[in-house]
Amino acid sequence: MKLDQRSLDYITAVIKTADLVKINNIIIEPGKIRAIDDERTVAIFHEENVPDMPFGSIGINRLDVFGNRIELAKNADNFTVDVEVKDEGTDNPWAKTLTFKGKGIKIEYRCANPKTIQAPKTFSDRESFSIQMNSDAIALIQKGMSAMKADTITIFGTDDGTYFEMADVNGDALTYRFGDVAEDLVEGEATNFSHKYTIKTILPVLKLVNNGEVIITSRGLLKIKPNGLAVYALPNVN
């Protein structure tokens, strides 16, 4: 079958977002996008306005390979994408191969069986707080990581604002107030919270926000929506 331009544009946008947070494997299936990075520190779990793909589901690994191959072919005259569908006519069809075609060029990309990609199947964590991130705070986190020789950062909220703190091995701490009191998304819940993260995990995620909203869930996951997709940075479990 031929892949329509709308579906191709959506797949490409999802892949670009996943690549920004170092995710290498992703599943797009009816009503849902699922993915997690190899270190299990950043995840995508998105269920809003996911368009139905004409072939059912698609598993994409080797995201850099996909990007390179489509870039090579898309500027050719008469560019099209053919899809070979596996298990067509069943309840779970999936795209087995994409073939990028243009005048004088043909490039194949073999997809992954969605069943072989490990990613969260459900997500039920409650959204608890909304905080506002800003570019000054993000720049200070990056500089502070070097100055403090710190690997982790604690983001916490009190009755007078939202802060982050990072400390070196001797306990010397850098503390910075970057925002007003967090907005309580659960009626009656206190606005005090504290969660620790690996800096290298959350920094690429926060850079996508720049000046904007970050949601903190009840278990401390940071949620942002770059390009309209729900991306989560997971807190440290230690």
Side-chain angles (χ1 to χ4, degrees), residues 137-153 164-169 174 197-204 207:
I138 294 169
L140 188 57
I141 291 172
Q142 188 160 12
K143 293 177 181 177
M145 178 174 62
S146 176
M148 302 303 293
K149 307 298 182 186
D151 296 322
T152 61
I153 183 171
F164 71 72
E165 182 174 282
M166 56 182 74
D168 66 9
V169 294
L174 162 64
Y197 308 88
T198 300
I199 298 174
K200 289 183 179 179
T201 295
I202 69 165
L203 195 54
K207 284 181 177 179

Side-chain angles (χ1 to χ4, degrees), residues 102-232:
K103 185 177 181 181
I105 191 169
K106 174 182 174 182
I107 307 175
E108 293 182 339
Y109 174 85
R110 188 174 296 275
C111 306
N113 185 334
K115 293 180 181 178
T116 67
I117 295 179
Q118 295 187 0
K121 293 183 178 181
T122 60
F123 189 86
S124 58
D125 203 9
R126 183 186 64 201
E127 296 183 359
S128 295
F129 305 106
S130 170
I131 63 175
Q132 294 296 314
M133 185 55 61
N134 60 72
S135 57
D136 289 341
I138 294 169
L140 188 57
I141 291 172
Q142 188 160 12
K143 293 177 181 177
M145 178 174 62
S146 176
M148 302 303 293
K149 307 298 182 186
D151 296 322
T152 61
I153 183 171
T154 300
I155 296 178
F156 63 95
T158 70
D159 294 336
D160 67 348
T162 309
Y163 298 78
F164 71 72
E165 182 174 282
M166 56 182 74
D168 66 9
V169 294
N170 298 311
D172 297 338
L174 162 64
T175 305
Y176 180 71
R177 183 185 187 277
F178 66 87
D180 296 330
V181 176
E183 179 185 354
D184 175 17
L185 301 179
V186 181
E187 185 177 355
E189 186 165 305
T191 53
N192 293 354
F193 62 88
S194 179
H195 300 288
K196 183 180 287 188
Y197 308 88
T198 300
I199 298 174
K200 289 183 179 179
T201 295
I202 69 165
L203 195 54
V205 174
L206 294 179
K207 284 181 177 179
L208 297 179
V209 180
N210 198 20
N211 293 284
E213 182 184 40
V214 176
I215 299 295
I216 299 179
T217 73
S218 60
R219 292 191 288 124
L221 280 71
L222 297 184
K223 176 186 176 182
I224 64 168
K225 296 187 74 173
N227 302 323
L229 296 181
V231 176
Y232 296 86

